[in-house]
Amino acid sequence: MNHHNQYDQPHVRRDRSGMSTVEFTLLLPFLAVMAASLFSLEFLVYRSIGQSYAAFSAARRCAVSGLPGIAPVLVRADYRACSMPGFPAVSAQGEAGNPSRCKVTVRDYFTALVPGRNGRLRRQTLPGASITVVAAGTAPGMGGDNDR
């Protein structure tokens, strides 16, 4: 007796009605990780640009005004204006002369959840990126859109 299965016959098609759903389900975790990675990268680039802008504009305004002591206030104002969370540590050094110069260093700090000894997550303040900018200025009004 010859028993033939329906799949042994070359002219019979198999049912593939759920195949794309299964493939999508298998790829979904990889797509989710890729999307999360892109959002994280975008956030880091935005933060880097915001930090650079805050440091440069503070250095420029301090150089023009000759008051390096106002740099922390200016950087924190730019952080708020850009809606950037974090606690920037700012140091500034002025140098009188013609042109006057100001060196501003911004070190970013942020709060993150890190695993503790007992396995529970705890909040910890961690250091982030640091940038140093030196700007020169000759007189008030010479800084374009950076003068306030």
Side-chain angles (χ1 to χ4, degrees), residues 7-29:
Y7 298 114
D8 292 338
Q9 300 173 5
H11 63 276
V12 175
R13 283 186 34 168
R14 296 182 191 177
D15 184 22
R16 296 179 178 220
S17 61
M19 194 167 183
S20 61
T21 304
V22 171
E23 288 173 353
F24 177 73
T25 305
L26 291 173
L27 287 176
L28 188 60

Side-chain angles (χ1 to χ4, degrees), residues 14-148:
R14 296 182 191 177
D15 184 22
R16 296 179 178 220
S17 61
M19 194 167 183
S20 61
T21 304
V22 171
E23 288 173 353
F24 177 73
T25 305
L26 291 173
L27 287 176
L28 188 60
F30 299 108
L31 295 175
V33 167
M34 188 180 300
S37 299
L38 288 175
F39 285 128
S40 296
L41 180 63
E42 182 272 333
F43 177 73
L44 291 174
V45 168
Y46 172 77
R47 215 169 156 79
S48 173
I49 291 170
Q51 184 184 22
S52 297
Y53 171 77
F56 172 76
S57 66
R60 179 70 179 119
R61 287 182 268 170
C62 291
V64 169
S65 69
L67 303 170
I70 64 171
V73 174
L74 297 172
V75 168
R76 288 186 183 99
D78 284 337
Y79 263 57
R80 280 191 306 277
C82 294
S83 299
M84 288 178 40
F87 318 102
V90 182
S91 65
Q93 299 170 348
E95 198 178 290
N98 192 11
S100 61
R101 294 168 33 123
C102 187
K103 177 181 176 180
V104 174
T105 300
V106 178
R107 175 96 190 183
D108 211 8
Y109 288 90
F110 61 94
T111 303
L113 293 174
V114 296
R117 291 184 182 179
N118 58 1
R120 292 187 177 197
L121 293 177
R122 62 183 175 87
R123 292 185 185 276
Q124 184 176 353
T125 301
L126 300 171
S130 179
I131 186 168
T132 300
V133 176
V134 177
T138 54
M142 297 296 288
D145 62 353
N146 292 315
D147 289 336
R148 291 186 183 172

